[in-house]
């Protein structure tokens, strides 16, 4: 043994030396991590006064310029209200008075040339390469010469099986044939089984391939596979486009039913960034982009911005800027003001040593955000339960109040109230309400960013039995008598949108209210949910409790 220790080349000494090297490396890595952790803390400490200064500047600008005021907060911003705005702008005879320029901007954004032959109407040859077709101005020359009243814009177009309606259609004369630009607007609602497939088949019967169906989700995603059947995706790839309200670079995930298999159907490219449209020093007679569009990145917000640049009317430009801001702030990830973001960029430019810390902060943010949103949802549950039990003391033993936070997984964040004596739908495995009708607060497909509330059925209307459909109609009638009369075609006999829909944008305010035990946001949600419950619980009980026998089944 002593001979082995004396020999520097022995395996034992080599192992000791290797262990020392590993120990030194571990100590070094620990020191690096410790230094970066301290640097992250210093970054936050140093940035905080800069952000306070930025917010002071914002408040002063707001006082003089009303920069955060947005008229869309006061307009009808449900699916039909937003469709009406888009349809009016696309209509050459609309009160905007700008003729066909907004329609041209939409066609250019989508890369559609209605006057071109079938093989090149998207500005590309059949092999996918760029074509030598005329410029966009030449392509639209005939469109501009067409009498405006011959271009027909229709809202809620009917005539489809199952009483379905296409949100917007634009019929464009092209010689002896008609081209149809159609829109399925999905800012918040779920897809219906077979919906997009049925629309595509309907349009093909009427227009023999000369049409384009544009799908408008809040962020880029494909329709559910149940809506656009897998077998139809490849078949309709030239007649279907996705145009989100705001651009989204996220890869396919839970919200993309394609699950990353095969190439997704086309999303269009604006060729521009997401900057808010400006009217200073802008030539409103020149389109913002002249190149073809056929890759990722375009959005409805881009179209509003382009329309703003093209408009000759100042009042209209103001409205279009508001529309673009609404899309970016309501459906996008814009949680900081431009001034705050500029302060941070300038600080990091001047202090590049903090870039590692900034990256660490960015990586930590999603878990911080989710923790705060989860705790706030639980805080609301406790407050709502307390209030509802005070309001209905006779039902205390029958009320079930619960919540669940699932992060960014679609439809996984909710707060619900129901009576265990209400009728349970057959064949429902979900845990949200155990198949029962419930007063519910629920987010959509983008995590805690698109909340809605109202009365939710235990099963989608399309999946109900005839008996369940009859019962839902009775529930809708009872709700209407109690002042709740906004049903949809899916799960909701009554649905509304609260304020503060994007919790990720107000995490600091949520933290403050958690510390204080409440505040304006808490009051808004608690008062709103309890207000719905006060009207809904008696109405639902009238149908689903009082007309049931002890076993829970309907009396004949």
């Amino acid at each position: 043994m002593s001979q082995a220790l004396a020999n520097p080349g022995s395996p034992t000494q080599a192992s000791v030396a290797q262990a020392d090297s590993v120990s030194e490396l571990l100590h070094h890595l620990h020191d690096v991590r410790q230094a970066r952790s301290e640097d992250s803390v210093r970054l936050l400490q140093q940035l905080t006064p800069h952000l306070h200064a930025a917010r002071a500047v914002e408040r002063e600008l707001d006082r003089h310029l009303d920069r955060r005021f947005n008229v869309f907060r006061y307009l009808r911003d449900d699916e039909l209200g937003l469709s009406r705005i888009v349809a009016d702008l696309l209509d050459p005879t609309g009160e905007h008075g700008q003729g066909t320029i907004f329609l041209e901007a939409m066609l250019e954004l989508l890369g559609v040339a209605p006057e071109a032959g079938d093989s090149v109407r998207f500005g590309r040859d059949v092999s996918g390469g760029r074509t030598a077709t005329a410029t966009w101005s030449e392509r639209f020359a005939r469109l501009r010469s067409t009498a405006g009243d011959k271009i027909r814009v229709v809202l809620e177009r009917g005539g489809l099986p199952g009483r379905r309606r296409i949100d917007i259609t634009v019929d464009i004369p092209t010689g002896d044939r008609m081209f149809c630009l159609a829109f399925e607007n999905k800012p918040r609602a779920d897809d219906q089984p077979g919906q997009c497939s049925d629309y595509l088949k309907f349009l093909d019967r009427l227009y023999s391939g000369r049409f384009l169906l544009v799908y408008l989700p809040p962020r880029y995603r494909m329709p559910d596979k149940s809506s656009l059947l897998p077998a139809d995706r490849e078949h309709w790839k030239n007649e279907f486009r996705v145009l989100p309200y705001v651009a989204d670079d996220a890869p396919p995930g839970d919200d993309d039913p394609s699950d990353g298999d095969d190439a997704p159907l086309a999303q269009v490219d604006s060729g521009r960034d997401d900057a808010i449209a400006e009217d200073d020093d802008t030539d409103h007679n020149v389109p913002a982009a002249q190149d073809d569009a056929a890759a990722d990145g375009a959005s409805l917000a881009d179209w509003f911005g382009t329309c703003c640049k093209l408009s000759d009317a100042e009042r209209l430009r103001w409205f279009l800027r508001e529309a673009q801001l609404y899309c970016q702030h309501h459906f996008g990830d814009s949680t900081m003001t431009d001034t705050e973001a500029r302060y941070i960029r300038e600080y990091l430019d001047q202090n590049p040593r903090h870039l590692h810390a900034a990256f660490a902060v960015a990586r930590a943010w999603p878990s911080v955000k989710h923790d705060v949103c989860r705790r706030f949802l639980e805080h609301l549950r406790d407050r709502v339960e307390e209030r509802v039990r005070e309001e209905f003391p006779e039902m205390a033993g029958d009320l079930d109040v619960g919540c669940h936070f699932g992060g960014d997984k679609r439809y996984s964040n909710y707060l619900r109230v129901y009576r265990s004596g209400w009728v349970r739908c057959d064949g429902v495995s979900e845990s949200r309400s155990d198949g029962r009708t419930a007063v519910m607060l629920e987010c959509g497909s983008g995590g805690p960013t698109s909340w809605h509330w109202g009365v939710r059925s235990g099963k989608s209307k399309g999946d109900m039995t005839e008996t369940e459909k009859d019962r839902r109609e009775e529930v809708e009638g009872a709700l209407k008598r109690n002042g709740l009369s906004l049903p949809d075609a899916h799960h909701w006999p009554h649905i509304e949108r609260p304020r503060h829909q994007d919790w990720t944008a107000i995490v600091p305010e949520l933290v403050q209210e958690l510390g204080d035990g409440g505040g304006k946001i808490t009051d808004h949600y608690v008062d709103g949910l309890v207000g719905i419950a006060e009207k809904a619980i008696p109405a639902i009980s009238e149908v689903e409790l009082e007309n049931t026998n002890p076993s829970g089944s309907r009396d004949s």
Side-chain angles (χ1 to χ4, degrees), residues 207-264:
Y207 299 95
S208 302
R210 293 189 57 81
F211 69 90
L212 181 69
L213 176 63
V214 183
Y215 183 76
L216 300 174
R219 307 285 293 276
Y220 181 79
R221 69 173 176 87
M222 292 292 293
D224 290 340
K225 288 180 179 177
S226 63
S227 174
L228 183 58
L229 306 179
D232 290 337
R233 292 193 173 200
E234 178 66 21
H235 180 73
W236 299 112
K237 65 182 180 181
N238 290 327
E239 288 80 26
F240 185 87
R241 292 289 179 92
V242 177
L243 182 68
Y245 273 74
V246 290
D248 187 359
D249 297 328
D254 288 341
D255 292 340
D256 184 355
S258 66
D259 295 327
D261 57 351
D262 302 326

Side-chain angles (χ1 to χ4, degrees), residues 111-229:
V112 181
E115 293 293 337
D118 288 347
S119 64
V120 294
R121 70 170 178 271
F122 297 110
R124 295 183 171 262
D125 62 25
V126 291
S127 65
R130 297 177 71 87
T131 67
T133 52
T135 65
W136 285 107
S137 295
E138 292 170 329
R139 290 172 182 173
F140 293 146
R142 184 166 181 174
L143 181 64
R144 292 170 184 164
S145 67
T146 301
D149 56 2
K150 292 184 178 180
I151 297 175
R152 183 168 176 257
V153 180
V154 178
L155 266 174
E156 296 287 301
R157 180 169 177 172
L160 285 83
R163 299 169 64 184
R164 282 178 166 165
R165 296 178 179 273
I166 301 178
D167 292 320
I168 306 169
T169 60
V170 184
D171 285 345
I172 304 172
T174 58
D176 60 347
R177 302 178 66 185
M178 193 74 73
F179 179 89
C180 181
L181 180 63
F183 296 85
E184 174 55 20
N185 192 16
K186 288 291 184 184
R188 301 181 182 92
D190 295 337
D191 295 321
Q192 300 179 44
Q195 186 175 30
C196 285
S197 292
D198 288 348
Y199 290 173
L200 288 161
K201 293 171 185 175
F202 171 79
L203 292 168
D204 193 47
R205 285 197 300 271
L206 293 184
Y207 299 95
S208 302
R210 293 189 57 81
F211 69 90
L212 181 69
L213 176 63
V214 183
Y215 183 76
L216 300 174
R219 307 285 293 276
Y220 181 79
R221 69 173 176 87
M222 292 292 293
D224 290 340
K225 288 180 179 177
S226 63
S227 174
L228 183 58
L229 306 179

Side-chain angles (χ1 to χ4, degrees), residues 259-456:
D259 295 327
D261 57 351
D262 302 326
L265 295 176
Q267 181 188 13
V268 295
D269 179 16
S270 66
R272 297 178 295 281
D273 59 24
D274 290 331
I276 297 171
E278 297 177 356
D279 57 0
D280 296 336
D281 301 323
T282 299
D283 183 354
H284 301 292
N285 297 313
V286 179
Q290 298 289 348
D291 56 337
D292 271 344
D296 294 342
S299 66
L300 194 65
D302 290 333
W303 179 64
F304 284 128
T306 299
C307 292
C308 180
K309 294 177 181 179
L310 296 174
S311 174
D312 290 323
E314 174 55 32
R315 289 182 64 194
L316 186 57
R317 288 200 298 273
W318 172 82
F319 179 82
L320 292 165
R321 282 195 297 273
E322 293 285 291
Q324 186 182 28
L325 281 168
Y326 172 82
C327 291
Q328 292 171 340
H329 291 175
H330 194 75
F331 297 108
D333 281 334
S334 180
T335 61
M336 296 191 74
T337 64
D338 293 339
T339 303
E340 290 171 325
R342 185 172 66 250
Y343 267 65
I344 293 175
R345 288 197 304 270
E346 291 175 354
Y347 181 85
L348 292 174
D349 284 342
Q350 297 167 10
N351 299 273
R353 71 182 186 278
H354 286 313
L355 287 174
H356 281 298
F359 180 62
V361 171
R363 289 190 63 186
W365 176 249
S367 60
V368 172
K369 171 190 71 178
H370 286 151
D371 179 63
V372 172
C373 292
R374 175 188 56 77
R375 290 192 291 121
F376 190 74
L377 185 63
E378 293 169 351
H379 161 71
L380 291 182
R381 176 202 58 200
D382 295 342
R383 292 285 302 274
V384 168
E385 182 170 15
E386 179 183 353
R387 288 274 305 277
V388 171
R389 292 188 185 281
E390 289 176 355
E391 183 67 26
F392 299 103
E394 72 281 4
M395 303 176 188
D398 191 36
L399 284 172
D400 190 304
V401 183
C403 71
H404 180 267
F405 186 81
D408 290 329
K409 188 175 181 181
R410 65 187 319 191
Y411 309 120
S412 64
N413 305 318
Y414 58 84
L415 190 164
R416 52 105 177 101
V417 181
Y418 66 84
R419 296 188 67 182
S420 57
W422 289 344
V423 179
R424 186 179 185 277
C425 292
D426 294 329
V428 178
S429 59
E430 67 170 29
S431 60
R432 273 181 281 195
S433 62
D434 196 28
R436 292 177 175 84
T437 303
V439 175
M440 184 170 287
L441 168 70
E442 181 187 68
C443 76
S445 58
T449 61
S450 55
W451 294 93
H452 44 267
W453 58 16
V455 177
R456 185 184 185 277

